[in-house]
């Protein structure tokens, strides 16, 4: 018999403010300029929950994922993490590699990469709340075991605080293409998104090929904020 536990309420870390009304979360954290293995709020998932040598998440997000994976296993569904926290350096390696294979002017090259990959400093994977499961190939989730995994996640992930931020681009959602593999721990991520919009500006997104077109493309408005709604959650993304 499956037992679903209520998850503990996460301290409103990014919404609690000082007397100067500034979020307690630091800009460098939001932009991934740190090592998760050296951050006291992060933990590495046990090996049975990932196919990576290490997969770091914020502790609350990791606990919720493990509860979710165990519940899925009881239903005969195996979900595991193929990508968790990625710092700025890691994201820059991904971006630079893809940049070298693109054609066109800088805006065209950036837009092509942004179909599925974030500019360094703008990825939700910097936050320790977001993860990719099983495969990052869209076709994987269209049939067979992949389709069953996505069906289970769509029906159950919200019970553990997880939601799919990049759904099909319907009802005005902008930004990245649909990613059925990308799931986000909403109790923390919603607060970090508010903090991101408070602290980060286009001028902060710099230091890699194509960074200078981020304002022209409106990466913060259309991509960082281009997410789906969490079921039953009153939070409205400030697009």
């Amino acid at each position: 018999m499956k037992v679903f536990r209520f998850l503990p309420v996460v301290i409103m870390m990014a919404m609690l403010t000082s007397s100067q009304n500034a979020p307690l979360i630091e800009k460098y954290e939001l932009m991934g300029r740190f090592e998760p293995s050296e951050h006291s709020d992060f933990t590495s998932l046990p090996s049975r929950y990932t196919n990576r040598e290490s997969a770091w998440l914020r502790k609350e997000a990791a606990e919720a994922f493990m509860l979710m994976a165990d519940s899925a296993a009881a239903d005969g569904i195996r979900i595991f993490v193929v990508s968790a926290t990625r710092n700025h350096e890691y994201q820059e390696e991904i971006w630079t590699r893809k940049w070298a294979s693109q054609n066109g002017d800088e805006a065209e090259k950036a837009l092509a990469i942004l179909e599925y990959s974030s500019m360094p400093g703008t990825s939700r994977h910097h936050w320790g709340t977001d993860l990719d499961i099983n495969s990052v190939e869209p076709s994987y989730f269209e049939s067979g075991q992949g389709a069953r995994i996505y069906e289970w996640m769509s029906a159950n992930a919200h019970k553990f605080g997880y939601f799919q931020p990049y759904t099909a681009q319907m009802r005005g959602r902008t930004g990245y293409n649909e990613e059925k593999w990308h799931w986000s721990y909403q109790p923390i991520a919603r607060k970090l998104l508010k903090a991101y919009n408070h602290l980060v500006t286009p001028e902060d997104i710099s230091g890699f090929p194509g960074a200078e077109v981020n304002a022209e493309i409106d990466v913060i408005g259309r991509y960082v904020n281009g997410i789906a709604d969490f079921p039953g959650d009153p939070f409205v993304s400030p697009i």
Side-chain angles (χ1 to χ4, degrees):
M1 180 178 67
K2 292 185 299 182
V3 178
F4 293 106
R5 302 188 333 202
F6 287 105
L7 296 176
V9 176
V10 177
I11 296 173
M12 299 177 67
M13 54 185 297
M15 293 300 293
L16 292 175
T17 57
S18 67
S19 58
Q20 288 75 37
N21 199 34
L24 294 177
I25 194 79
E26 298 286 348
K27 183 190 295 187
Y28 76 87
E29 296 179 80
L30 296 169
M31 299 190 70
R33 295 187 180 277
F34 67 99
E35 288 294 335
S37 62
E38 300 172 1
H39 196 300
S40 61
D41 291 338
F42 283 69
T43 189
S44 182
L45 287 173
S47 59
R48 67 182 180 276
Y49 295 105
T50 180
N51 69 347
R52 304 297 298 265
E53 182 175 341
S54 63
W56 292 85
L57 292 170
R58 291 187 180 270
K59 292 175 181 177
E60 296 90 344
E63 178 185 0
F65 177 79
M66 290 187 286
L67 289 171
M68 181 169 65
D70 291 345
S71 180
D75 287 338
I77 300 292
R78 182 172 183 245
I79 58 174
F80 56 91
V81 171
V82 298
S83 186
T85 304
R86 299 198 293 260
N87 65 13
H88 193 282
E89 181 180 3
Y90 193 133
Q91 195 68 29
E92 188 172 339
E93 290 173 359
I94 294 172
W95 180 271
T96 303
R97 182 177 68 251
K98 292 188 174 184
W99 183 268
S101 67
Q102 299 298 324
N103 297 312
D105 61 29
E106 292 202 338
E108 291 170 335
K109 293 167 75 169
L111 287 169
I113 301 171
L114 285 164
E115 289 185 9
Y116 288 107
S117 296
S118 300
M119 281 189 172
T122 71
S123 175
R124 293 174 70 94
H125 280 282
H126 294 331
W127 301 350
T129 58
D130 285 52
L131 50 85
D132 298 335
I133 61 167
N134 292 64
S135 174
V136 294
E137 291 296 331
S139 60
Y140 173 81
F141 294 95
E142 300 304 319
S143 62
Q145 181 70 3
R148 290 189 289 274
I149 290 168
Y150 183 68
E151 181 180 7
W152 191 95
M153 292 290 290
S154 297
N156 295 286
H158 69 279
K159 301 171 185 176
F160 302 90
Y162 276 89
F163 83 116
Q164 181 189 350
Y166 308 130
T167 55
Q169 292 190 6
M170 301 171 62
R171 293 182 297 175
R173 190 186 76 77
T174 61
Y176 307 103
N177 289 345
E178 182 176 24
E179 295 185 355
K180 292 183 176 181
W181 55 85
H182 187 138
W183 296 82
S184 179
Y185 186 60
Q186 178 75 340
I188 301 177
R190 64 175 293 190
K191 299 169 180 63
L192 299 190
L193 178 58
K194 284 181 176 289
Y196 193 99
N197 281 293
H198 180 79
L199 292 173
V200 182
T201 68
E203 290 73 27
D204 295 315
I205 303 168
S206 62
F208 57 89
E212 60 274 10
V213 301
N214 87 83
E216 173 188 340
I217 295 171
D218 189 17
V219 167
I220 293 177
R222 296 182 61 81
Y223 291 84
V224 176
N225 287 293
I227 60 172
D229 295 329
F230 180 70
D233 192 276
F235 174 65
V236 177
S237 177
I239 297 176

